[in-house]
Amino acid sequence: MRLVIARCQVDYAGRLTAHLPMAIRLLLIKADGSVSIHSDDRAYKPLNWMSPPCWLIEDGDIWTVQNKAGEKLVISIEERLDEVKHELGAEPGLVKDGVEAHLQKLLAEHITTLGEGYTLVRREYPTAIGPVDILCRDADGATVAVEIKRRGEIDGVEQLTRYLELLNRDPLLSPVQGVFAAQLIKPQARTLAEDRGIRCVTLDYDALRGAESDEFRLF
């Protein structure tokens, strides 16, 4: 991972155009090829970014990031204040707490909690950006990706959105619907999820624990 703090301006050209005037910002270049531009007042969310696959061309103080669709980020650097590079190594992945891990197991065993006719494909379905908690199919055979949280907040909806964007590129899975499942879903998270076409499901942990699993029953 490469971190550059620089006084720069950024111009984006693609489906729309955007301009960031000259200011001090953090430029984050990751090993996966992604490039993002951050300020000091937007928490985790970048001001602009380019997701992989993309490539960075450095021509002195003019950096051009381009993807296969022809979209470009042009970063014009006036002054470099600091620059560091670190090898972070292999990412072990997010380890869920005990309740979330157990919720995932219980929901997989009682997948019809999501609706009649639902069938489990697998837990921890792998993707390039991390595993989806549960991948299943609804009664019509459509693919459904489920993100499970103990407390459902906006970050969880954003996480599921990224999974859906990636999964929908796979013609064997697409179209993929999303379900955001949690013991408690905050109103802001529910509003964002529903605006993106993601269904919200409130999970009753005690009811799931007390229900008899039918995962391996023949009758």
Side-chain angles (χ1 to χ4, degrees), residues 24-49:
I24 296 174
R25 299 185 177 93
L26 167 65
L27 309 178
L28 178 61
I29 304 97
K30 296 174 63 179
D32 64 3
S34 63
V35 178
S36 55
I37 298 98
H38 298 260
S39 67
D40 205 21
D41 65 347
R42 300 293 180 92
Y44 67 91
K45 190 172 183 179
L47 297 166
N48 216 325
W49 68 93

Side-chain angles (χ1 to χ4, degrees), residues 4 7 28 55 61 67 87-88 92 98 106 108 112 127 143 164 171 179 190 192 202 205 212:
V4 179
R7 186 184 304 277
L28 178 61
W55 56 92
D61 288 332
N67 63 16
E87 295 291 339
L88 300 187
L106 287 169
T112 53
T127 77
T143 309
L164 290 171
V179 171
R190 184 180 294 275
L192 179 61
T202 302
Y205 183 55
E212 182 181 355

Side-chain angles (χ1 to χ4, degrees), residues 68-186:
K68 291 182 178 179
E71 297 171 309
K72 290 183 180 181
L73 274 179
V74 179
I75 305 169
S76 304
I77 299 174
E78 182 179 83
E79 180 184 8
R80 300 191 196 196
L81 303 177
D82 199 7
E83 181 170 348
V84 294
K85 186 176 182 180
H86 294 284
E87 295 291 339
L88 300 187
E91 170 55 49
L94 179 69
V95 178
K96 290 182 173 287
D97 68 26
V99 173
E100 283 187 9
H102 199 203
L103 273 172
Q104 183 192 113
K105 179 176 182 295
L106 287 169
L107 187 56
E109 292 175 354
H110 305 92
I111 198 67
T112 53
T113 300
L114 301 178
E116 290 297 325
Y118 271 68
T119 56
L120 177 69
V121 174
R122 68 167 290 177
R123 293 169 56 194
E124 300 289 329
Y125 185 87
T127 77
I129 57 173
V132 177
D133 286 339
I134 289 178
L135 197 73
C136 57
R137 294 192 184 277
D138 66 14
D140 297 322
T143 309
V144 181
V146 186
E147 179 65 24
I148 300 169
K149 298 292 183 187
R150 182 164 54 88
R151 182 182 178 88
E153 302 192 33
I154 285 177
D155 284 357
V157 178
E158 296 284 6
Q159 183 180 357
L160 179 54
T161 300
R162 292 192 293 271
Y163 287 143
L164 290 171
E165 182 181 353
L166 193 62
L167 291 169
N168 271 304
R169 298 178 191 173
D170 186 340
L172 297 177
L173 299 176
S174 179
V176 185
Q177 303 167 23
V179 171
F180 188 53
Q183 286 182 277
L184 174 67
I185 301 176
K186 296 189 71 173

Side-chain angles (χ1 to χ4, degrees), residues 191-217:
T191 298
L192 179 61
E194 292 174 350
D195 183 66
R196 294 180 177 180
I198 295 170
R199 182 161 68 99
C200 293
V201 174
T202 302
L203 299 175
D204 187 328
Y205 183 55
D206 291 331
L208 282 172
R209 282 198 306 172
E212 182 181 355
S213 172
D214 58 3
E215 186 177 13
F216 302 110
R217 279 172 49 185

